[in-house]
Amino acid sequence: MESIGNLLLGFSVALTPGNLFWCFVGVFLGTVVGILPGLGPAATIAMLLPLTFKMDHTAAIIMLAGIYYGSKYGGSTTSILLNVPGESASVVTCLDGYQMARQGRAGPALGIAAIASFVAGTVGVIGLMLIAPPVARFALRFGPPEYFALMALGLTMVVFLAGKSMIKGLLALFVGLWLAGVGTDLFTAESRFTFGQMELLDGIDFVIVSIGIFAVAEVMVNMESRGGTELFKVPKGIRNLMPTLKDLKDCRFAFLNGSVIGFLIGVLPGAGSTIASFLSYGAEKAFSRHPEKFGTGVIEGVAAPEGANNSETGGALVPLLTLGIPGSNATAILLAALILWGIKPGPLLIQDNPGMFWGLVTSMYVGNVMLLVLNLPLVPLFAQILRVPYFVLYPGILGISIVGVYSISNSLFDVWLLGLFGLLGYAMRKLDFPAAPLVLGMVLGDGLERALRQSLMMSEGHLSVLVTRPLSTTMICLALAILIMPLVNKVRFFRLKAMEQDV
Amino acid sequence: MSEKKELLSGICLGSFGVYVAFEALKLPYVSEFGPGPGFFPLWIGIGLTLLSLLLIVASLFASTAPENSKSQSRTAIGRALVGWSGLMLAIGLLHWLGFGLSLALLAVFLILALERRSPWVAISVAFGLALGFHAIFVLALGLSLPAGPWGF
């Protein structure tokens, strides 16, 4: 009953014409910055922050949150169409989304990304509304050993991303882990593997590596033959550009999986939407009836990670609003905004500012509907990009890649690195090394090392700390089970083969 | 052919693993706060080396597959590397000529050298791309991109 009252209060705030307008401005800007690499949600929110000082605070937080979750909708567009991840959480979408585009199914891929984002985004908001305080308290039980176990569980996703050769998948993963360690050690301020380059002291941004090994390498592969290989077929007719009922049916578990995993990972400060999308993709593949088809253009491979990275936004607002703990750059700037306006996020926020809290939550329902209405009609329009001749598309993709990388920190050194990682990605393609495990290692490497070292500091060097706490023990057992699974399958395969030969 | 590639990548990655482990040994393995900065890279280096050895062994014992008719010809790889060289050249020019002009030159290079289209097509595409990027990223989004002596 209380929930219904809160919901009604929220809608009475969110549905005022002024708040509806700012919600639309937020989600529209979010979609634009999500589509175009180079300007992420954190930078956009930071740039617009001074403009909000004279605004009503509820309207301002509705708009800023709209930019945050709106950017997640747009992030998949360049991943699917050009193999350029618009933001880090959209890297996994490249795996199947781009393959779908190559098969002439860019429209359904873009459509399912929007629908999955809507479904999971709405589930994330429901989660934020119903279970925010208890889930936030649960998340506080996560110490370094639990974070290490979570990261280890994330690393086991290599099993699902490795492709034909597990050894090659693991090698790519280890290279990713090494890359994540380049730069200044946060515990001792010692520099590692910087080769005397000042620019490497801050480490290598994960976006540079992703764009290099996905986008630049893809362009190089297509440059091999004159006139390019026939990549981009775009079927005519709007009906062929939208997901079919069968597509939606195929994705029903992906929607659920993305929603749940995204929300739970979002609640954990620091875990982030990239990890959520990797875990969701891995889970979808693990429980799929046709895991071998993942990576070749399977629609569930787009729906699960896109759902997860949108549901994560609802989850990420839980620790921010109920505990005052930001889990990402964008939520850190939202926290700064609340503090600048004189509002203290934390357990008393709901009690002291019910109109703002419930207004924000319900505006996210409204914003998700706006995003779906805004994005679905754009699908046929975006799909037309693929009709652009290849000799325009290739320099265009390289230009977008350079802009995306340069704008991270306005550094030309980063652009040189982009070129080098492009060459590495091309070599990996030629030598049949999978690229996704390398990116996975880079995403998780830093957090894994930090959590392991903090755990060992806590226990004065005893590794037992990782397996004596119930949550971490459960996750480590799960990780081991996932790692052992392919071996068991292989043994079973050989046994069956031997039995067949005996017969 | 495939085994040769695996052997070569195994040797390269194995050497890299040994390098990582040796460099990590120069860093403190333990610090006063617990594990030191060399702790994690050392194990990564060891892991890389062991996995590379496995790859080498697997390639030595693998049955030789017949030569694939679709195996990449040197010409194809050469074309890709020419394109990549063009990209690196354009990156080198960013500081001197700015983003717009460097992108335009890259487009002209790719279209003329790799696609063998007419110079008019190359110039039109280059001009359109440079103008489009400037309009979207600099004018509309306010991003600061490397500028040349002409201010763009």
Side-chain angles (χ1 to χ4, degrees), chain A residues 214-271:
Chain A
F214 281 102
V216 177
E218 180 67 30
V219 171
M220 286 178 72
V221 168
N222 289 302
M223 278 173 184
E224 284 184 348
S225 55
R226 193 176 161 198
T229 47
E230 197 199 348
L231 281 183
F232 307 115
K233 286 176 282 182
V234 184
K236 286 181 180 158
I238 283 195
R239 190 177 283 182
N240 294 321
L241 288 169
M242 288 294 176
T244 59
L245 272 177
K246 186 187 172 294
D247 290 334
L248 290 172
K249 209 175 141 192
D250 287 345
C251 290
R252 60 195 188 280
F253 293 115
F255 293 151
L256 182 72
N257 152 23
S259 305
V260 175
I261 290 181
F263 182 76
L264 292 177
I265 296 295
V267 172
L268 304 172

Short mmCIF file of all heavy atoms in Angstrom, two decimals, chain A residues 214-271:
data_model
loop_
_atom_site.label_atom_id
_atom_site.label_comp_id
_atom_site.label_asym_id
_atom_site.label_seq_id
_atom_site.Cartn_x
_atom_site.Cartn_y
_atom_site.Cartn_z
N PHE A 214 38.82 -3.97 -32.17
CA PHE A 214 37.56 -4.27 -32.85
C PHE A 214 37.43 -3.46 -34.15
O PHE A 214 37.33 -4.02 -35.22
CB PHE A 214 36.35 -3.98 -31.95
CG PHE A 214 36.09 -5.07 -30.95
CD1 PHE A 214 36.46 -4.94 -29.63
CD2 PHE A 214 35.50 -6.25 -31.35
CE1 PHE A 214 36.25 -5.95 -28.71
CE2 PHE A 214 35.27 -7.28 -30.44
CZ PHE A 214 35.65 -7.13 -29.12
N ALA A 215 37.42 -2.12 -34.02
CA ALA A 215 37.09 -1.29 -35.18
C ALA A 215 38.23 -1.21 -36.20
O ALA A 215 38.04 -1.50 -37.39
CB ALA A 215 36.70 0.11 -34.71
N VAL A 216 39.44 -0.83 -35.74
CA VAL A 216 40.55 -0.65 -36.69
C VAL A 216 40.91 -2.00 -37.33
O VAL A 216 41.12 -2.07 -38.55
CB VAL A 216 41.78 -0.02 -35.98
CG1 VAL A 216 42.95 0.10 -36.94
CG2 VAL A 216 41.42 1.36 -35.42
N ALA A 217 40.93 -3.07 -36.50
CA ALA A 217 41.26 -4.39 -37.05
C ALA A 217 40.22 -4.82 -38.09
O ALA A 217 40.56 -5.40 -39.12
CB ALA A 217 41.35 -5.42 -35.93
N GLU A 218 38.95 -4.51 -37.83
CA GLU A 218 37.89 -4.88 -38.77
C GLU A 218 38.09 -4.16 -40.11
O GLU A 218 37.95 -4.75 -41.18
CB GLU A 218 36.53 -4.50 -38.16
CG GLU A 218 35.33 -4.82 -39.03
CD GLU A 218 35.11 -6.32 -39.21
OE1 GLU A 218 35.46 -7.07 -38.29
OE2 GLU A 218 34.61 -6.72 -40.27
N VAL A 219 38.42 -2.86 -40.03
CA VAL A 219 38.65 -2.10 -41.26
C VAL A 219 39.82 -2.71 -42.02
O VAL A 219 39.76 -2.88 -43.25
CB VAL A 219 38.91 -0.60 -40.94
CG1 VAL A 219 39.37 0.15 -42.18
CG2 VAL A 219 37.65 0.05 -40.39
N MET A 220 40.88 -3.09 -41.30
CA MET A 220 42.05 -3.68 -41.97
C MET A 220 41.69 -4.99 -42.68
O MET A 220 42.12 -5.24 -43.80
CB MET A 220 43.18 -3.93 -40.95
CG MET A 220 43.88 -2.66 -40.53
SD MET A 220 45.16 -2.97 -39.29
CE MET A 220 46.41 -3.77 -40.28
N VAL A 221 40.88 -5.81 -42.00
CA VAL A 221 40.48 -7.09 -42.62
C VAL A 221 39.72 -6.81 -43.91
O VAL A 221 39.92 -7.47 -44.93
CB VAL A 221 39.61 -7.92 -41.63
CG1 VAL A 221 38.94 -9.08 -42.35
CG2 VAL A 221 40.47 -8.44 -40.49
N ASN A 222 38.87 -5.79 -43.88
CA ASN A 222 38.07 -5.49 -45.07
C ASN A 222 38.86 -4.79 -46.17
O ASN A 222 38.42 -4.74 -47.32
CB ASN A 222 36.86 -4.65 -44.68
CG ASN A 222 35.87 -5.49 -43.92
OD1 ASN A 222 35.39 -6.50 -44.41
ND2 ASN A 222 35.61 -5.12 -42.68
N MET A 223 40.01 -4.23 -45.81
CA MET A 223 40.85 -3.60 -46.83
C MET A 223 41.62 -4.64 -47.64
O MET A 223 42.21 -4.31 -48.67
CB MET A 223 41.89 -2.68 -46.15
CG MET A 223 41.37 -1.32 -45.78
SD MET A 223 42.67 -0.51 -44.84
CE MET A 223 41.84 0.99 -44.40
N GLU A 224 41.61 -5.87 -47.17
CA GLU A 224 42.42 -6.90 -47.83
C GLU A 224 42.05 -7.10 -49.30
O GLU A 224 42.90 -7.36 -50.13
CB GLU A 224 42.26 -8.23 -47.09
CG GLU A 224 43.05 -8.28 -45.80
CD GLU A 224 42.96 -9.63 -45.14
OE1 GLU A 224 42.11 -10.44 -45.55
OE2 GLU A 224 43.74 -9.88 -44.21
N SER A 225 40.75 -7.00 -49.58
CA SER A 225 40.37 -7.18 -50.99
C SER A 225 39.88 -5.85 -51.55
O SER A 225 39.25 -5.07 -50.84
CB SER A 225 39.28 -8.23 -51.10
OG SER A 225 38.21 -7.87 -50.27
N ARG A 226 40.16 -5.63 -52.82
CA ARG A 226 39.75 -4.38 -53.45
C ARG A 226 38.23 -4.35 -53.56
O ARG A 226 37.60 -5.34 -53.92
CB ARG A 226 40.37 -4.27 -54.83
CG ARG A 226 40.24 -2.87 -55.39
CD ARG A 226 40.94 -2.75 -56.71
NE ARG A 226 40.43 -1.59 -57.41
CZ ARG A 226 40.57 -1.39 -58.69
NH1 ARG A 226 41.20 -2.27 -59.43
NH2 ARG A 226 40.08 -0.32 -59.26
N GLY A 227 37.64 -3.18 -53.20
CA GLY A 227 36.20 -3.08 -53.25
C GLY A 227 35.57 -3.62 -51.98
O GLY A 227 34.37 -3.54 -51.79
N GLY A 228 36.42 -4.16 -51.08
CA GLY A 228 35.90 -4.65 -49.81
C GLY A 228 35.06 -5.90 -50.02
O GLY A 228 34.56 -6.15 -51.10
N THR A 229 34.97 -6.70 -48.97
CA THR A 229 34.07 -7.84 -49.06
C THR A 229 32.66 -7.31 -48.95
O THR A 229 32.45 -6.23 -48.44
CB THR A 229 34.34 -8.82 -47.90
OG1 THR A 229 34.40 -8.03 -46.71
CG2 THR A 229 35.62 -9.57 -48.08
N GLU A 230 31.69 -8.09 -49.41
CA GLU A 230 30.32 -7.59 -49.34
C GLU A 230 29.83 -7.71 -47.90
O GLU A 230 29.51 -8.78 -47.41
CB GLU A 230 29.41 -8.40 -50.25
CG GLU A 230 28.11 -7.69 -50.51
CD GLU A 230 27.04 -8.63 -51.00
OE1 GLU A 230 27.37 -9.77 -51.35
OE2 GLU A 230 25.89 -8.21 -51.02
N LEU A 231 29.89 -6.58 -47.21
CA LEU A 231 29.60 -6.59 -45.79
C LEU A 231 28.15 -6.27 -45.49
O LEU A 231 27.50 -6.92 -44.71
CB LEU A 231 30.43 -5.51 -45.10
CG LEU A 231 31.87 -5.77 -44.79
CD1 LEU A 231 32.42 -4.59 -44.05
CD2 LEU A 231 31.99 -7.01 -43.95
N PHE A 232 27.70 -5.22 -46.11
CA PHE A 232 26.50 -4.58 -45.60
C PHE A 232 25.31 -4.70 -46.54
O PHE A 232 25.11 -3.89 -47.42
CB PHE A 232 26.81 -3.10 -45.33
CG PHE A 232 28.01 -2.92 -44.45
CD1 PHE A 232 29.14 -2.30 -44.93
CD2 PHE A 232 28.00 -3.37 -43.16
CE1 PHE A 232 30.25 -2.13 -44.12
CE2 PHE A 232 29.10 -3.20 -42.35
CZ PHE A 232 30.22 -2.58 -42.83
N LYS A 233 24.52 -5.73 -46.29
CA LYS A 233 23.27 -5.85 -47.04
C LYS A 233 22.19 -5.23 -46.17
O LYS A 233 22.11 -5.53 -44.98
CB LYS A 233 22.93 -7.32 -47.26
CG LYS A 233 23.79 -7.99 -48.30
CD LYS A 233 23.45 -9.46 -48.39
CE LYS A 233 24.07 -10.22 -47.24
NZ LYS A 233 23.83 -11.64 -47.24
N VAL A 234 21.38 -4.36 -46.73
CA VAL A 234 20.27 -3.79 -45.96
C VAL A 234 18.98 -4.13 -46.68
O VAL A 234 18.73 -3.63 -47.77
CB VAL A 234 20.41 -2.25 -45.84
CG1 VAL A 234 19.31 -1.70 -44.95
CG2 VAL A 234 21.77 -1.88 -45.29
N PRO A 235 18.17 -5.03 -46.09
CA PRO A 235 16.93 -5.39 -46.77
C PRO A 235 15.98 -4.20 -46.85
O PRO A 235 16.01 -3.31 -46.00
CB PRO A 235 16.34 -6.49 -45.89
CG PRO A 235 17.03 -6.38 -44.60
CD PRO A 235 18.33 -5.70 -44.82
N LYS A 236 15.13 -4.23 -47.89
CA LYS A 236 14.18 -3.12 -48.05
C LYS A 236 12.91 -3.41 -47.24
O LYS A 236 12.61 -4.55 -46.94
CB LYS A 236 13.84 -2.95 -49.53
CG LYS A 236 14.99 -2.31 -50.29
CD LYS A 236 14.65 -2.11 -51.74
CE LYS A 236 15.85 -1.46 -52.43
NZ LYS A 236 15.86 -1.67 -53.84
N GLY A 237 12.19 -2.35 -46.91
CA GLY A 237 10.92 -2.51 -46.19
C GLY A 237 11.11 -2.46 -44.69
O GLY A 237 12.00 -3.13 -44.15
N ILE A 238 10.25 -1.67 -44.04
CA ILE A 238 10.38 -1.48 -42.59
C ILE A 238 10.20 -2.79 -41.84
O ILE A 238 10.85 -3.05 -40.84
CB ILE A 238 9.37 -0.41 -42.13
CG1 ILE A 238 9.92 0.96 -42.52
CG2 ILE A 238 9.12 -0.46 -40.62
CD1 ILE A 238 9.29 2.13 -41.88
N ARG A 239 9.31 -3.67 -42.38
CA ARG A 239 9.04 -4.94 -41.69
C ARG A 239 10.34 -5.76 -41.54
O ARG A 239 10.54 -6.42 -40.53
CB ARG A 239 8.00 -5.73 -42.48
CG ARG A 239 7.48 -6.92 -41.72
CD ARG A 239 6.43 -7.63 -42.48
NE ARG A 239 5.15 -6.96 -42.44
CZ ARG A 239 4.06 -7.44 -43.01
NH1 ARG A 239 4.09 -8.56 -43.66
NH2 ARG A 239 2.92 -6.79 -42.93
N ASN A 240 11.19 -5.69 -42.55
CA ASN A 240 12.45 -6.45 -42.49
C ASN A 240 13.51 -5.78 -41.62
O ASN A 240 14.57 -6.34 -41.40
CB ASN A 240 13.00 -6.64 -43.90
CG ASN A 240 12.10 -7.51 -44.73
OD1 ASN A 240 11.55 -8.49 -44.22
ND2 ASN A 240 11.90 -7.15 -45.98
N LEU A 241 13.22 -4.58 -41.20
CA LEU A 241 14.21 -3.86 -40.39
C LEU A 241 13.88 -3.93 -38.91
O LEU A 241 14.57 -3.36 -38.08
CB LEU A 241 14.30 -2.39 -40.84
CG LEU A 241 14.98 -2.18 -42.19
CD1 LEU A 241 14.79 -0.77 -42.68
CD2 LEU A 241 16.46 -2.51 -42.10
N MET A 242 12.80 -4.59 -38.56
CA MET A 242 12.40 -4.69 -37.16
C MET A 242 12.50 -6.14 -36.69
O MET A 242 12.37 -7.06 -37.50
CB MET A 242 10.95 -4.21 -37.00
CG MET A 242 10.80 -2.72 -37.15
SD MET A 242 11.65 -1.89 -35.80
CE MET A 242 11.44 -0.20 -36.28
N PRO A 243 12.70 -6.37 -35.38
CA PRO A 243 12.73 -7.75 -34.90
C PRO A 243 11.37 -8.42 -35.12
O PRO A 243 10.33 -7.77 -35.00
CB PRO A 243 13.00 -7.60 -33.40
CG PRO A 243 13.39 -6.19 -33.18
CD PRO A 243 12.89 -5.39 -34.32
N THR A 244 11.40 -9.70 -35.44
CA THR A 244 10.15 -10.43 -35.65
C THR A 244 9.65 -10.98 -34.31
O THR A 244 10.36 -10.92 -33.30
CB THR A 244 10.39 -11.61 -36.60
OG1 THR A 244 11.39 -12.45 -35.99
CG2 THR A 244 10.87 -11.16 -37.96
N LEU A 245 8.45 -11.56 -34.35
CA LEU A 245 7.92 -12.17 -33.12
C LEU A 245 8.81 -13.31 -32.66
O LEU A 245 9.02 -13.52 -31.47
CB LEU A 245 6.51 -12.71 -33.39
CG LEU A 245 5.37 -11.70 -33.18
CD1 LEU A 245 4.04 -12.33 -33.54
CD2 LEU A 245 5.33 -11.18 -31.74
N LYS A 246 9.38 -14.03 -33.65
CA LYS A 246 10.28 -15.14 -33.30
C LYS A 246 11.53 -14.60 -32.58
O LYS A 246 12.00 -15.19 -31.61
CB LYS A 246 10.68 -15.89 -34.57
CG LYS A 246 11.50 -17.13 -34.28
CD LYS A 246 12.05 -17.77 -35.53
CE LYS A 246 13.02 -18.89 -35.18
NZ LYS A 246 14.23 -18.45 -34.54
N ASP A 247 12.03 -13.46 -33.10
CA ASP A 247 13.20 -12.85 -32.44
C ASP A 247 12.87 -12.52 -30.98
O ASP A 247 13.67 -12.79 -30.07
CB ASP A 247 13.60 -11.55 -33.15
CG ASP A 247 14.21 -11.80 -34.52
OD1 ASP A 247 14.77 -12.90 -34.72
OD2 ASP A 247 14.11 -10.92 -35.39
N LEU A 248 11.69 -11.94 -30.78
CA LEU A 248 11.30 -11.56 -29.41
C LEU A 248 11.17 -12.80 -28.53
O LEU A 248 11.57 -12.78 -27.37
CB LEU A 248 9.98 -10.78 -29.43
CG LEU A 248 10.04 -9.38 -30.05
CD1 LEU A 248 8.66 -8.78 -30.18
CD2 LEU A 248 10.91 -8.46 -29.19
N LYS A 249 10.60 -13.87 -29.12
CA LYS A 249 10.43 -15.10 -28.36
C LYS A 249 11.80 -15.69 -27.99
O LYS A 249 12.03 -16.13 -26.88
CB LYS A 249 9.63 -16.11 -29.21
CG LYS A 249 8.82 -17.08 -28.39
CD LYS A 249 7.99 -17.95 -29.30
CE LYS A 249 7.98 -19.37 -28.76
NZ LYS A 249 7.45 -20.33 -29.70
N ASP A 250 12.73 -15.64 -28.97
CA ASP A 250 14.07 -16.16 -28.72
C ASP A 250 14.77 -15.40 -27.59
O ASP A 250 15.67 -15.93 -26.94
CB ASP A 250 14.93 -16.05 -29.99
CG ASP A 250 14.52 -17.07 -31.04
OD1 ASP A 250 13.78 -18.01 -30.67
OD2 ASP A 250 14.90 -16.91 -32.21
N CYS A 251 14.37 -14.14 -27.43
CA CYS A 251 15.10 -13.29 -26.48
C CYS A 251 14.45 -13.21 -25.11
O CYS A 251 14.93 -12.47 -24.25
CB CYS A 251 15.22 -11.87 -27.05
SG CYS A 251 16.32 -11.78 -28.43
N ARG A 252 13.37 -13.97 -24.88
CA ARG A 252 12.64 -13.75 -23.62
C ARG A 252 13.51 -14.04 -22.40
O ARG A 252 13.45 -13.32 -21.40
CB ARG A 252 11.34 -14.56 -23.59
CG ARG A 252 11.49 -16.06 -23.71
CD ARG A 252 10.14 -16.69 -24.04
NE ARG A 252 10.18 -18.15 -23.98
CZ ARG A 252 10.65 -18.94 -24.93
NH1 ARG A 252 11.14 -18.40 -26.02
NH2 ARG A 252 10.63 -20.25 -24.80
N PHE A 253 14.36 -15.06 -22.48
CA PHE A 253 15.23 -15.35 -21.33
C PHE A 253 16.38 -14.35 -21.25
O PHE A 253 16.86 -14.04 -20.17
CB PHE A 253 15.75 -16.79 -21.39
CG PHE A 253 14.66 -17.80 -21.23
CD1 PHE A 253 14.31 -18.66 -22.26
CD2 PHE A 253 13.93 -17.88 -20.04
CE1 PHE A 253 13.27 -19.57 -22.11
CE2 PHE A 253 12.90 -18.79 -19.88
CZ PHE A 253 12.56 -19.64 -20.93
N ALA A 254 16.80 -13.88 -22.42
CA ALA A 254 17.87 -12.87 -22.43
C ALA A 254 17.41 -11.59 -21.75
O ALA A 254 18.18 -10.95 -21.01
CB ALA A 254 18.29 -12.57 -23.88
N PHE A 255 16.14 -11.21 -21.96
CA PHE A 255 15.61 -10.02 -21.28
C PHE A 255 15.68 -10.21 -19.77
O PHE A 255 16.10 -9.32 -19.03
CB PHE A 255 14.13 -9.78 -21.67
CG PHE A 255 13.93 -9.41 -23.11
CD1 PHE A 255 12.75 -9.72 -23.77
CD2 PHE A 255 14.90 -8.72 -23.83
CE1 PHE A 255 12.54 -9.38 -25.10
CE2 PHE A 255 14.70 -8.37 -25.16
CZ PHE A 255 13.52 -8.70 -25.79
N LEU A 256 15.24 -11.41 -19.32
CA LEU A 256 15.20 -11.69 -17.88
C LEU A 256 16.62 -11.73 -17.31
O LEU A 256 16.91 -11.09 -16.29
CB LEU A 256 14.49 -13.04 -17.67
CG LEU A 256 14.32 -13.47 -16.23
CD1 LEU A 256 13.25 -12.60 -15.56
CD2 LEU A 256 13.89 -14.94 -16.14
N ASN A 257 17.48 -12.46 -17.99
CA ASN A 257 18.87 -12.61 -17.55
C ASN A 257 19.57 -11.25 -17.47
O ASN A 257 20.19 -10.90 -16.46
CB ASN A 257 19.53 -13.60 -18.53
CG ASN A 257 21.02 -13.40 -18.71
OD1 ASN A 257 21.70 -12.84 -17.86
ND2 ASN A 257 21.54 -13.87 -19.81
N GLY A 258 19.40 -10.45 -18.54
CA GLY A 258 20.03 -9.13 -18.57
C GLY A 258 19.51 -8.24 -17.44
O GLY A 258 20.27 -7.55 -16.77
N SER A 259 18.20 -8.31 -17.21
CA SER A 259 17.59 -7.47 -16.18
C SER A 259 18.13 -7.81 -14.80
O SER A 259 18.52 -6.92 -14.04
CB SER A 259 16.07 -7.67 -16.15
OG SER A 259 15.52 -7.46 -17.41
N VAL A 260 18.15 -9.10 -14.47
CA VAL A 260 18.53 -9.52 -13.12
C VAL A 260 20.03 -9.30 -12.90
O VAL A 260 20.45 -8.66 -11.92
CB VAL A 260 18.15 -11.00 -12.89
CG1 VAL A 260 18.66 -11.48 -11.54
CG2 VAL A 260 16.64 -11.16 -12.97
N ILE A 261 20.86 -9.80 -13.83
CA ILE A 261 22.32 -9.67 -13.66
C ILE A 261 22.71 -8.19 -13.65
O ILE A 261 23.48 -7.75 -12.81
CB ILE A 261 23.07 -10.45 -14.75
CG1 ILE A 261 22.89 -11.95 -14.51
CG2 ILE A 261 24.57 -10.10 -14.74
CD1 ILE A 261 23.58 -12.85 -15.49
N GLY A 262 22.14 -7.42 -14.57
CA GLY A 262 22.47 -5.99 -14.66
C GLY A 262 22.16 -5.27 -13.36
O GLY A 262 22.98 -4.52 -12.84
N PHE A 263 20.97 -5.54 -12.80
CA PHE A 263 20.58 -4.83 -11.58
C PHE A 263 21.50 -5.23 -10.42
O PHE A 263 21.99 -4.36 -9.69
CB PHE A 263 19.12 -5.16 -11.22
CG PHE A 263 18.64 -4.44 -10.00
CD1 PHE A 263 18.31 -3.10 -10.05
CD2 PHE A 263 18.54 -5.10 -8.78
CE1 PHE A 263 17.89 -2.42 -8.91
CE2 PHE A 263 18.12 -4.44 -7.64
CZ PHE A 263 17.80 -3.09 -7.70
N LEU A 264 21.74 -6.53 -10.26
CA LEU A 264 22.56 -6.99 -9.12
C LEU A 264 24.00 -6.46 -9.22
O LEU A 264 24.59 -6.05 -8.22
CB LEU A 264 22.57 -8.53 -9.05
CG LEU A 264 21.21 -9.15 -8.68
CD1 LEU A 264 21.32 -10.67 -8.71
CD2 LEU A 264 20.75 -8.68 -7.30
N ILE A 265 24.56 -6.45 -10.42
CA ILE A 265 25.93 -5.94 -10.58
C ILE A 265 25.93 -4.43 -10.37
O ILE A 265 26.85 -3.87 -9.77
CB ILE A 265 26.48 -6.29 -11.98
CG1 ILE A 265 26.60 -7.80 -12.16
CG2 ILE A 265 27.85 -5.63 -12.23
CD1 ILE A 265 27.60 -8.50 -11.28
N GLY A 266 24.87 -3.76 -10.81
CA GLY A 266 24.78 -2.31 -10.65
C GLY A 266 24.79 -1.89 -9.19
O GLY A 266 25.36 -0.86 -8.84
N VAL A 267 24.18 -2.71 -8.35
CA VAL A 267 24.12 -2.37 -6.93
C VAL A 267 25.51 -2.36 -6.29
O VAL A 267 25.78 -1.62 -5.36
CB VAL A 267 23.19 -3.38 -6.20
CG1 VAL A 267 23.25 -3.17 -4.70
CG2 VAL A 267 21.76 -3.21 -6.69
N LEU A 268 26.42 -3.18 -6.84
CA LEU A 268 27.76 -3.27 -6.25
C LEU A 268 28.61 -2.08 -6.72
O LEU A 268 28.89 -1.96 -7.90
CB LEU A 268 28.46 -4.57 -6.69
CG LEU A 268 27.70 -5.86 -6.37
CD1 LEU A 268 28.40 -7.04 -7.02
CD2 LEU A 268 27.59 -6.06 -4.88
N PRO A 269 29.00 -1.21 -5.79
CA PRO A 269 29.79 -0.05 -6.21
C PRO A 269 31.09 -0.48 -6.88
O PRO A 269 31.80 -1.35 -6.37
CB PRO A 269 30.08 0.69 -4.90
CG PRO A 269 29.08 0.17 -3.93
CD PRO A 269 28.78 -1.23 -4.34
N GLY A 270 31.37 0.09 -8.03
CA GLY A 270 32.65 -0.18 -8.70
C GLY A 270 32.60 -1.32 -9.69
O GLY A 270 33.53 -1.49 -10.48
N ALA A 271 31.55 -2.14 -9.65
CA ALA A 271 31.52 -3.29 -10.58
C ALA A 271 31.25 -2.80 -12.01
O ALA A 271 31.99 -3.11 -12.93
CB ALA A 271 30.49 -4.30 -10.13
#
